[in-house]
Amino acid sequence: MSQLLSAVSASPDVAQPSSTFLKFRKRLERATGQAIADYSMIEDGDVIMVCMSGGKDSYTMLELLRGLQQRAPVRFRLIAFNLDQKQPGFPDHILPAYFESIGVEYRIETEDTYSIVKDKIPEGKTTCGLCSRLRRGIIYRVAGEMGATKIALGHHRDDLLETLFLNMFFGGKIKSMPPKLVSDDGRHIVIRPLAYCTERDIERFARVMAYPIIPCNLCGSQENAQRKQVKAMLQEWARLHPGRIESMATALRNVVPSHLADSKLFDFAGLQPGTDVGEGDTAFDPVELPARRWVDEDAIGGIPLRLDIAASGGCA
């Protein structure tokens, strides 16, 4: 890890990155590029509003998109965007200075949503819901003014999995954050280019790049307790069961409606003998998982730790 952390200096434009860091960056760019290709996120001539909060995820998203922009087979324009919500103590000079230092086009919008939220929400109650709705409306408005065809958000693979379990545990739905969707106002396409990137890799990349991170606790609100619980659960699974998180992430892209229970997605009422449902009835069969070899990506620059895992089901 020390080799990785010393790979570049605080200034990405001046630093001479090591081959180790370049390989690490290439892996992140490859994951981002694959997500973009799989979901047709970016098309020729797109104007992409890159939403910047000042956190590790949005900094990393902007940097990876800039790298891909240089080699992509299509041409697209990036405009970094930050909404200054007038939170007390918000360092409004940091992001403009950073954008200018790397030569990226940007726009800063100032709207005092903080005062609105404080006025409408009683003390001690969570402010996130109203704040999010106000922020979303402003983003959509500005995207229209900018002529943006896509709105890029910095949610990563862990965010998608956490949202999946939050909806199952507390919302009664099998639902996550899609890599691509239509905005609430129906006028824009929202994309999540980091959908295949892990939070751990993003954290490591951000530390190496020494981004001027803006703390996320300026509004004084606490992180959603339920999300914290789910995050801790997934982290524990990752520690105790290598490969489980990767398998769940793959499952998001391999849904079998005939083997769930939603009659809106599969015509159970019309099911007749001889109907082909693909995988058939495996309910009474043991679950057999092939041996899979997972590579510990923390071993960048060293000897990877390979964990061979074989699992098979038994009698219920």
Side-chain angles (χ1 to χ4, degrees):
M1 178 63 78
S2 60
Q3 184 180 5
L4 178 63
L5 292 176
S6 62
V8 298
S9 69
S11 173
D13 291 333
V14 178
Q16 297 298 318
S18 70
S19 60
T20 298
F21 176 74
L22 291 176
K23 290 178 182 177
F24 177 57
R25 178 185 177 121
K26 184 177 180 181
R27 178 158 60 82
L28 277 174
E29 287 187 347
R30 186 165 56 245
T32 303
Q34 188 64 56
I36 290 172
D38 285 352
Y39 299 98
S40 300
M41 293 186 187
I42 298 177
E43 301 168 286
D44 192 47
D46 268 340
V47 177
I48 303 174
M49 170 196 270
V50 185
C51 294
M52 298 290 298
S53 66
K56 66 183 189 320
D57 303 333
S58 57
Y59 276 119
T60 299
M61 174 176 62
L62 177 62
E63 182 64 21
L64 295 178
L65 287 175
R66 289 177 69 227
L68 292 171
Q69 186 184 38
Q70 298 175 10
R71 301 185 300 279
V74 297
R75 299 181 62 184
F76 57 92
R77 177 181 165 200
L78 298 174
I79 305 177
F81 170 77
N82 171 253
L83 173 59
D84 180 355
Q85 298 177 264
K86 303 310 294 180
Q87 297 162 319
F90 182 76
D92 57 10
H93 64 285
I94 288 181
L95 283 170
Y98 176 76
F99 296 148
E100 290 172 10
S101 73
I102 63 174
V104 70
E105 186 178 357
Y106 71 93
R107 173 166 171 173
I108 306 294
E109 188 76 7
T110 301
E111 293 277 354
D112 188 4
T113 61
Y114 177 84
S115 296
I116 297 174
V117 169
K118 286 300 183 181
D119 179 62
K120 300 294 184 183
I121 304 297
E123 191 69 29
K125 299 292 184 179
T126 180
T127 61
C128 298
L130 177 58
C131 181
S132 178
R133 288 192 297 273
L134 292 172
R135 184 171 62 247
R136 196 156 56 238
I138 295 168
I139 289 173
Y140 294 161
R141 172 179 61 78
V142 175
E145 294 172 0
M146 290 168 44
T149 54
K150 303 286 172 60
I151 299 171
L153 304 179
H155 299 115
H156 45 68
R157 190 190 72 179
D158 298 68
D159 289 323
L160 271 60
L161 286 174
E162 289 168 16
T163 303
L164 172 68
F165 281 96
L166 280 168
N167 278 304
M168 286 197 296
F169 291 167
F170 306 106
K173 293 183 179 180
I174 297 180
K175 172 185 173 182
S176 181
M177 292 177 174
K180 181 180 179 182
L181 75 157
V182 177
S183 62
D184 290 349
D185 64 1
R187 299 169 53 206
H188 305 283
I189 295 293
V190 178
I191 59 175
R192 295 184 168 100
L194 302 184
Y196 291 173
C197 297
T198 69
E199 184 172 23
R200 182 181 65 177
D201 280 349
I202 291 170
E203 288 174 343
R204 294 163 63 199
F205 187 81
R207 286 200 302 271
V208 174
M209 296 296 288
Y211 292 129
I213 302 294
I214 298 175
C216 61
N217 60 350
L218 291 171
C219 63
S221 62
Q222 298 297 315
E223 184 180 1
N224 183 286
Q226 294 172 341
R227 183 173 287 275
K228 289 177 67 175
Q229 294 172 12
V230 170
K231 180 185 286 289
M233 179 191 75
L234 293 177
Q235 290 174 343
E236 183 73 355
W237 284 357
R239 185 179 68 84
L240 296 177
H241 307 285
R244 176 177 290 187
I245 302 302
E246 288 80 0
S247 183
M248 288 191 298
T250 301
L252 286 175
R253 307 192 298 275
N254 290 281
V255 179
V256 185
S258 64
H259 286 56
L260 293 173
D262 192 337
S263 59
K264 297 186 294 296
L265 295 180
F266 184 79
D267 184 15
F268 291 100
L271 198 61
Q272 299 293 329
T275 302
D276 182 11
V277 293
E279 297 191 9
D281 186 7
T282 60
F284 298 103
D285 297 341
V287 178
E288 296 183 0
L289 302 177
R292 305 184 72 173
R293 187 164 66 180
W294 305 95
V295 178
D296 180 7
E297 300 293 356
D298 273 333
I300 289 179
I303 300 175
L305 172 64
R306 290 181 171 84
L307 302 172
D308 292 316
I309 304 170
S312 61
C315 297

